[in-house]
Amino acid sequence: MGNWDLLGQSQLSSILEHSFNQGRVSHAYLLVGPPQVGKRATAIKIAQALNCDSNNKPCGSCTPCNRIESGIHPDIQIIAPTTDEETGIQHIVVSIKQIREMERISYLAPYEGNYRVFIIDSVNSIAEPAANALLKTLEEPPPNVVFLLLATNEATVLPTIISRCQKLEVKSLSEEDMLELLRKSHAMEAADAKLLAKISNGRLGWALEAARNPAVLGDRQKAVDTLIKVIDGDLEEKFKVSQELSSFHNRDRKKLPDTLRLWLSWWRDLLMIIEGNPDLVFNLDWGELLKKRQSFFTSREIANHMQELIETIEYLNQNSNPRITLDVLMLSLEGLSATRSEYAPLR
Ligand SMILES: [Zn+2]
């Protein structure tokens, strides 16, 4: 009996335990579940089970298990969207270049373990050429290779890819389970655990990060409060925020881009809601805030504004004058909200 205990995922744990005990290993798994519920943690567990030295796989304590846990096992690779070196902005999807590189490496024998494991985080919305390259690899899988494909939304994965994988569902935790886990396993104060259990919407990964680092919650809330002030406020209010943020930027060069990236994520979520994909919303606790404003903007306007936000972050990283750069952004935002009369009541 290995240590399959996946936090809050008892059903999934027993499915995996059973199939690995029977020696039934698939060459590809599709792990589907909402953002930050534990898909990557599950993938790591599978990678450990495949390469564990103990009889009780995955033991979680042998050298391979430890190396995999620490992210330093040479046969385990995580393929995730890369970050643009200049803007610091994360690309949204895994590129074809990454898939081709993975395919090339997959034909090399494992370096020190039993299996090479590729964790693709995620296969959502990957472009067609990349999806086709991946499909080709899945159709002719090299020996001793296991592919773990992570997805938040099955609908955006090619059906032909899905059909090549064994599907595993990683579910979000119930508020009660989350509360119990945070209280018992992480010895959290009752009030803190309750709050996190509420706003984490079953995403254990996020709750643990927020619990580990209290600034996560505070900064996040501050940034979204400021954004709402900017959206709902008049031009004078917008310029005031611009002045505050830019004066702060001269002391801390990281905070303003971080704030703008969070704004970007807010607009992205709003776009998902407008486009009828509420299940793709990252910041689930902003649901009400987002829904209230969904009728004020069109998808096109949001997409344009997101592009402007990305450019603003680029300009800031190129040492542009923060005040001027932000004022331009504020003017464009004012242009958006000023065009609709129904916006007035929120002022
Ligand atoms: Zn082990």
Side-chain angles (χ1 to χ4, degrees):
M1 288 287 156
N3 173 22
W4 275 107
D5 187 25
L6 290 157
L7 291 177
Q9 305 285 346
S10 51
Q11 200 187 352
L12 179 60
S13 300
S14 54
I15 291 173
L16 283 168
E17 181 165 7
H18 185 70
S19 70
F20 273 75
N21 283 348
Q22 308 270 313
R24 289 201 314 264
V25 176
S26 173
H27 77 272
Y29 293 87
L30 177 67
L31 282 72
V32 186
Q36 291 185 293
V37 286
K39 293 187 294 298
R40 221 189 246 208
T42 305
I44 296 291
K45 205 65 131 172
I46 295 174
Q48 286 177 323
L50 291 166
N51 286 297
C52 179
D53 271 348
S54 154
N55 289 327
N56 305 317
K57 305 172 198 303
C59 73
S61 53
C62 67
T63 303
C65 280
N66 278 328
R67 284 196 183 178
I68 292 169
E69 181 78 41
S70 319
I72 53 169
H73 194 293
D75 294 321
I76 315 300
Q77 276 189 29
I78 296 179
I79 295 152
T82 49
T83 301
D84 190 295
E85 278 177 20
E86 284 189 4
T87 60
I89 292 174
Q90 188 149 42
H91 291 137
I92 296 168
V93 295
V94 168
S95 71
I96 184 161
K97 199 174 148 209
Q98 291 175 286
I99 299 286
R100 290 214 173 111
E101 176 64 6
M102 176 190 80
E103 189 193 9
R104 188 184 68 77
I105 299 171
S106 71
Y107 285 97
L108 308 174
Y111 188 71
E112 63 172 49
N114 307 319
Y115 287 91
R116 270 191 188 277
V117 180
F118 295 96
I119 300 170
I120 310 178
D121 188 5
S122 74
V123 290
N124 280 125
S125 307
I126 53 176
E128 210 180 314
N132 286 332
L134 176 60
L135 183 61
K136 202 176 132 254
T137 312
L138 294 178
E139 278 169 348
E140 295 157 19
N144 303 320
V145 175
V146 172
F147 297 96
L148 303 173
L149 280 50
L150 277 46
T152 48
N153 183 2
E154 215 181 325
T156 67
V157 184
L158 272 189
T160 39
I161 288 184
I162 297 174
S163 71
R164 295 273 159 192
C165 300
Q166 182 183 337
K167 193 175 123 186
L168 299 170
E169 266 184 77
V170 189
K171 294 184 177 140
S172 39
L173 273 67
S174 70
E175 204 175 314
E176 296 76 39
D177 282 354
M178 177 79 82
L179 188 60
E180 199 184 317
L181 253 173
L182 293 174
R183 289 280 283 142
K184 287 195 178 149
S185 313
H186 297 272
M188 200 179 285
E189 294 291 326
D192 295 345
K194 207 170 166 188
L195 175 72
L196 283 185
K198 187 128 213 116
I199 66 171
S200 62
N201 273 292
R203 297 167 298 160
L204 183 62
W206 183 85
L208 293 180
E209 172 60 19
R212 197 182 56 76
N213 179 5
V216 169
L217 274 182
D219 284 355
R220 184 170 167 281
Q221 191 54 45
K222 240 183 268 167
V224 78
D225 287 348
T226 308
L227 174 62
I228 296 303
K229 203 156 64 164
V230 162
I231 294 177
D232 292 351
D234 57 16
L235 191 57
E236 196 185 334
E237 182 71 48
K238 288 181 172 67
F239 282 155
K240 214 172 113 198
V241 169
S242 167
Q243 193 211 339
E244 284 164 11
L245 290 177
S246 53
S247 67
F248 196 84
H249 184 60
N250 295 326
R251 279 171 280 152
D252 179 351
R253 311 293 281 182
K254 209 178 145 281
K255 199 133 189 163
L256 179 54
D258 278 353
T259 299
L260 296 184
R261 271 190 280 274
L262 200 98
W263 289 9
L264 196 56
S265 134
W266 192 90
W267 286 107
R268 178 207 165 274
D269 282 353
L270 187 61
L271 190 59
M272 291 302 135
I273 288 182
I274 291 174
E275 292 287 304
N277 292 313
D279 53 330
L280 290 184
V281 166
F282 285 152
N283 302 286
L284 297 169
D285 55 312
W286 296 343
E288 287 310 308
L289 213 55
L290 289 160
K291 276 182 198 142
K292 260 190 213 161
R293 287 162 182 85
Q294 63 174 321
S295 60
F296 297 144
F297 307 97
T298 65
S299 300
R300 166 60 52 199
E301 285 171 333
I302 294 175
N304 288 343
H305 184 66
M306 285 173 72
Q307 186 56 40
E308 277 167 322
L309 262 172
I310 291 171
E311 285 165 8
T312 304
I313 297 170
E314 277 175 32
Y315 294 147
L316 288 171
N317 286 338
Q318 291 160 11
N319 276 331
S320 68
N321 178 312
R323 182 67 203 270
I324 295 173
T325 310
L326 277 181
D327 279 356
V328 171
L329 183 75
M330 296 300 169
L331 275 171
S332 117
L333 195 55
E334 178 69 7
L336 277 191
S337 44
T339 53
R340 54 214 72 241
S341 54
E342 69 266 40
Y343 209 86
L346 266 187
R347 288 257 167 98

